[in-house]
Amino acid sequence: FFFFFELKIILDLYAKMLSEGSWKDYVLTISCKQVSFSVFKNAAENAIYNICKNFKPNNKNLKYCITDSRSRILKNSHDLENLINKINWKKL
């Protein structure tokens, strides 16, 4: 699963985007290969972004990734904090 410091980084971003009105809801999805934090603009729609942590990545840069609603990888990195802070979430 996400470690405490990883979840804190994600929830800080979620709180910021929630206060701006961009995001409305989230879901944690856990499988044997990865855990993902899915973000929704409206509860009745599909997730607009997924912040994923792969447990056994083939490449170290694929440990953390951000995907869109069609599961296309938008950004990936080996460091979650750098991944989240380098993205301009308003332009995504």
Side-chain angles (χ1 to χ4, degrees):
F1 306 147
F2 287 114
F3 291 112
F4 174 76
F5 66 92
E6 295 170 331
L7 198 55
K8 181 181 179 335
I9 293 168
I10 294 170
L11 289 175
D12 286 345
L13 171 67
Y14 177 75
K16 176 184 169 190
M17 299 304 284
L18 184 67
S19 67
E20 292 177 1
S22 299
W23 295 354
K24 302 289 182 203
D25 203 4
Y26 72 92
V27 171
L28 281 172
T29 307
I30 302 164
S31 71
C32 61
K33 294 182 180 182
Q34 74 176 11
V35 60
S36 65
F37 185 92
S38 303
V39 178
F40 296 86
K41 189 168 186 150
N42 294 319
E45 297 178 357
N46 291 333
I48 52 174
Y49 302 114
N50 296 312
I51 301 171
C52 303
K53 176 183 178 181
N54 295 313
F55 297 131
K56 296 179 183 176
N58 294 333
N59 183 348
K60 73 173 188 170
N61 284 335
L62 294 176
K63 178 149 179 140
Y64 301 102
C65 62
I66 297 174
T67 61
D68 64 2
S69 60
R70 295 180 182 166
S71 298
R72 292 180 294 188
I73 296 175
L74 301 174
K75 297 278 185 180
N76 57 6
S77 178
H78 66 281
D79 184 20
L80 180 65
E81 189 169 14
N82 287 336
L83 177 69
I84 288 178
N85 291 335
K86 287 185 178 180
I87 292 181
N88 187 349
W89 291 97
K90 292 180 183 178
K91 290 187 177 182
L92 255 182

